[in-house]
């Protein structure tokens, strides 16, 4: 079940945005409607998931739907599952043809595009306890300042990053595994110690900066109304200057800015670098794939602010059976059903607030893996999605190019960020 920084699903990744698929423009306002809380539940609805129909999850959804229909006689839930590839295009087609399913699994970026044209019900207008029933970070992920809504999906399954360290490498180079970095500045300081002690053979840092580093400098990526990019700040430039200095001093692999760079995780697996990030079950999965490395791994909270990855359950604003759709959306994402689903998906976390009372997320069994699971749940509470829903691959490519120019001394950090902001806004306007 792969995962990326741009968004995730249990079986496939898709970072495409509907904004680029012909769905855009001002909202219609239909998402602001209110559903009668005492309306009878009857009739049929369609429920759509994303690449979850398989031997592992089909029995779960079959039982889930049967349970709901049994509790509400006279109702029918028709489950459809879309393949992973081309999901954004499929949803775009459903929107334009007025065939969007009543209840639909959407990642944050695609949900934004559908909500932008009035396609999703604003749950904050219909679920008074939304903020209390679901984890704050998950609700915030589907709150879009440019649209004015406070929740366009029930947070369903979530992920975040935990820091993982190679204890043997740390000790070999004079670093204490009990005093791990908590901030970017502490990371740079310890990277110098490792570099100097190993004669430049070992690395603690092994990735160039990106959007997450800009946000962690205290810089908002967009204007408060969410309509323009504006991240060329003095703190962001100072952060980039620190990366530039670290790169020049040899604290990062020399090829980190080139096409031959294998990636942070691959280098950690090879035990060429001593720090990486991953989901809460990283140690467990490494035990199976790399049993000699696993015993050396020590977990700690993500540096500064952790990233959030989230999938949600939205309700179509134009559903012909809104009371039933809303009730089923809440049922799918209630605490009991979320935790049952997560048991089938190691490494992911439930979006229900009540899950905090589950010992699986609140108390370690004393192992490194147990510690990592608890750390991941704690990280999730304060995690944020660094990538705005309108951020595109083209914007990211240009930012990476500007970062490389700055880190190799061809541009100042401020100029590189100015250029990235200008280009991002140009692309946004298109």
């Amino acid at each position: 079940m792969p995962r990326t920084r741009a968004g995730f699903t249990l079986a496939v990744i898709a970072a495409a945005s509907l904004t680029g698929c012909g769905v855009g423009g001002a909202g219609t306002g239909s998402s602001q409607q209110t559903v009668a809380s005492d309306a009878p539940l009857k009739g049929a609805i369609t429920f759509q998931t994303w690449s979850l129909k398989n031997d592992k999850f089909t029995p779960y959804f079959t039982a889930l739907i049967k349970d709901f229909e049994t509790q509400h006689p006279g109702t029918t839930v028709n489950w459809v599952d879309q393949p992973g590839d081309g999901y954004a295009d499929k949803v775009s087609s459903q929107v334009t043809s007025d065939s969007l399913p009543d209840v639909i699994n959407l990642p944050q970026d695609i949900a934004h595009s559908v909500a932008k044209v009035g396609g999703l019900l604003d749950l904050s207008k219909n679920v008074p306890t939304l903020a209390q029933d679901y984890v704050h970070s998950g609700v915030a992920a589907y709150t879009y300042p440019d649209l004015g809504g406070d929740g366009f999906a029930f947070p369903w399954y979530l992920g975040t990053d935990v820091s993982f360290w190679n204890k043997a490498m740390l000790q070999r180079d004079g670093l204490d595994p009990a005093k791990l970095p908590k901030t970017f500045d502490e990371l740079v300081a310890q990277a110098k110690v490792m570099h100097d002690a190993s004669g430049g053979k070992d690395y603690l840092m092994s990735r160039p900066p990106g959007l997450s580093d800009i946000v962690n400098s205290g810089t908002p990526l967009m204007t408060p109304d969410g309509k323009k990019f504006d991240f060329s700040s003095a703190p962001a430039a100072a952060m980039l200057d620190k990366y530039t200095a670290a790169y020049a001093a040899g604290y990062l692999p020399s090829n980190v800015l080139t096409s031959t760079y294998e990636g942070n995780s691959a280098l950690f697996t090879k035990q060429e670098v001593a720090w990486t990030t991953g989901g809460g079950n990283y140690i467990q999965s490494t035990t199976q794939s790399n049993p000699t490395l696993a015993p050396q791994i020590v977990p700690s909270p993500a540096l500064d602010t952790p990233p959030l990855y989230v999938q949600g359950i939205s309700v179509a604003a134009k559903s012909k059976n809104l009371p039933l759709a809303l009730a089923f959306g809440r049922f799918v994402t209630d605490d009991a059903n979320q935790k049952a689903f997560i048991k089938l998906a190691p490494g992911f976390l439930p979006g229900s607030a009540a899950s905090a009372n589950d010992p699986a997320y609140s108390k370690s069994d004393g192992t490194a893996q147990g510690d990592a699971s608890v750390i991941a749940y704690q990280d999730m509470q304060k995690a944020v999605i660094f990538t705005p829903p309108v951020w595109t691959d083209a914007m990211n490519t240009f930012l990476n190019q500007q970062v490389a120019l700055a880190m190799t001394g061809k541009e100042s950090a401020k100029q590189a960020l100015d250029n990235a902001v200008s280009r991002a806004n140009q692309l946004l306007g298109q």
Side-chain angles (χ1 to χ4, degrees):
M1 291 180 287
R3 185 162 56 90
T4 71
R5 298 293 184 272
F8 72 101
T9 180
L10 288 172
V12 70
I13 305 301
S17 169
L18 285 178
T19 304
C21 303
V23 178
T28 64
S30 60
S31 62
Q32 303 299 316
Q33 61 190 296
T34 301
V35 181
S37 59
D38 58 349
L41 300 183
K42 58 182 180 180
I45 57 171
T46 299
F47 169 48
Q48 178 170 294
T49 53
W50 182 14
S51 195
L52 291 175
K53 195 168 221 178
N54 51 47
D55 293 342
K56 189 172 189 179
F57 293 105
T58 295
Y60 168 82
F61 286 111
T62 300
L64 177 82
I65 291 170
K66 182 179 180 181
D67 186 19
F68 181 83
E69 292 175 342
T70 299
Q71 291 184 34
H72 304 285
T75 65
T76 301
V77 177
N78 300 305
W79 175 39
V80 296
D81 185 77
Q82 296 295 338
D85 292 341
Y87 190 60
D89 290 334
K90 178 62 178 179
V91 174
S92 174
S93 175
Q94 290 172 329
V95 171
T96 55
S97 63
D98 282 335
S99 60
L100 192 70
D102 304 273
V103 181
I104 182 169
N105 166 203
L106 294 174
Q108 183 243 15
D109 55 345
I110 300 179
H112 174 270
S113 295
V114 181
K116 188 176 181 179
V117 294
L120 298 182
L121 188 70
D122 184 350
L123 300 178
S124 65
K125 304 291 190 300
N126 293 281
V127 184
T129 60
L130 183 71
Q132 290 76 47
D133 294 342
Y134 299 87
V135 295
H136 170 74
S137 59
V139 175
Y142 290 90
T143 298
Y144 308 119
D146 59 326
L147 303 184
D150 294 330
F152 286 100
F154 295 109
W156 188 20
Y157 62 92
L158 295 80
T160 188
D161 277 352
V162 172
S163 286
F164 295 100
W165 312 85
N166 186 312
K167 178 172 59 177
M169 290 183 68
L170 294 175
Q171 292 174 329
R172 183 173 70 210
D173 294 326
L175 293 170
D176 186 351
K179 298 179 180 179
L180 298 169
K182 296 179 180 179
T183 65
F184 170 67
D185 286 341
E186 291 177 4
L187 177 70
V188 175
Q190 293 200 23
K192 179 183 186 305
V193 173
M194 176 166 281
H195 171 272
D196 294 349
S198 68
K201 295 180 180 179
D202 294 340
Y203 299 97
L204 197 61
M205 300 172 64
S206 61
R207 65 169 180 80
L211 288 182
S212 63
D213 299 276
I214 294 173
V215 174
N216 275 322
S217 74
T219 302
L221 295 176
M222 305 192 77
T223 53
D225 60 9
K227 295 182 179 180
K228 288 183 63 177
F229 290 102
D230 184 22
F231 53 79
S232 183
S233 69
M239 174 277 300
L240 185 49
D241 281 336
K242 291 175 183 177
Y243 263 104
T244 300
Y247 180 69
Y251 303 162
L252 290 84
S254 60
N255 68 343
V256 74
L257 299 175
T258 72
S259 60
T260 61
Y261 171 58
E262 295 180 80
N264 170 257
S265 180
L267 296 177
F268 184 83
T269 300
K270 292 182 175 182
Q271 302 193 56
E272 294 179 10
V273 303
W275 169 62
T276 191
T277 59
N281 72 326
Y282 181 79
I283 297 176
Q284 179 182 346
S285 61
T286 303
T287 300
Q288 300 170 353
S289 62
N290 195 342
T292 60
L293 171 61
Q296 300 299 327
I297 301 178
V298 180
S300 75
L303 301 184
D304 299 302
T305 301
L308 179 69
Y309 316 106
V310 59
Q311 287 286 341
I313 296 293
S314 297
V315 175
K318 294 182 180 180
S319 168
K320 295 180 181 179
N321 197 337
L322 275 172
L324 184 60
L326 184 60
F328 184 71
R330 296 190 70 174
F331 180 77
V332 173
T333 59
D334 71 19
D335 183 56
N337 286 320
Q338 287 221 31
K339 287 192 290 191
F341 179 78
I342 292 301
K343 287 180 180 178
L344 302 174
F348 295 94
L349 300 163
S352 57
S355 60
N357 300 319
D358 190 323
Y361 308 113
S362 61
K363 186 177 181 180
S364 172
D365 60 6
T367 65
Q369 176 56 64
D371 292 345
S373 296
V374 173
I375 290 170
Y377 193 84
Q378 293 171 342
D379 273 359
M380 181 187 69
Q381 305 304 313
K382 58 182 180 180
V384 300
I385 293 182
F386 294 119
T387 307
V390 293
W391 185 256
T392 66
D393 288 343
M395 296 174 188
N396 205 56
T397 297
F398 191 82
L399 173 64
N400 291 340
Q401 292 169 348
Q402 292 301 306
V403 165
L405 290 173
M407 289 180 64
T408 53
K410 296 181 175 65
E411 285 182 354
S412 69
K414 183 66 167 61
Q415 185 61 58
L417 292 171
D418 283 346
N419 292 344
V421 168
S422 177
R423 180 57 176 160
N425 282 324
Q426 181 183 33
L427 291 169
L428 183 64
Q430 296 173 2

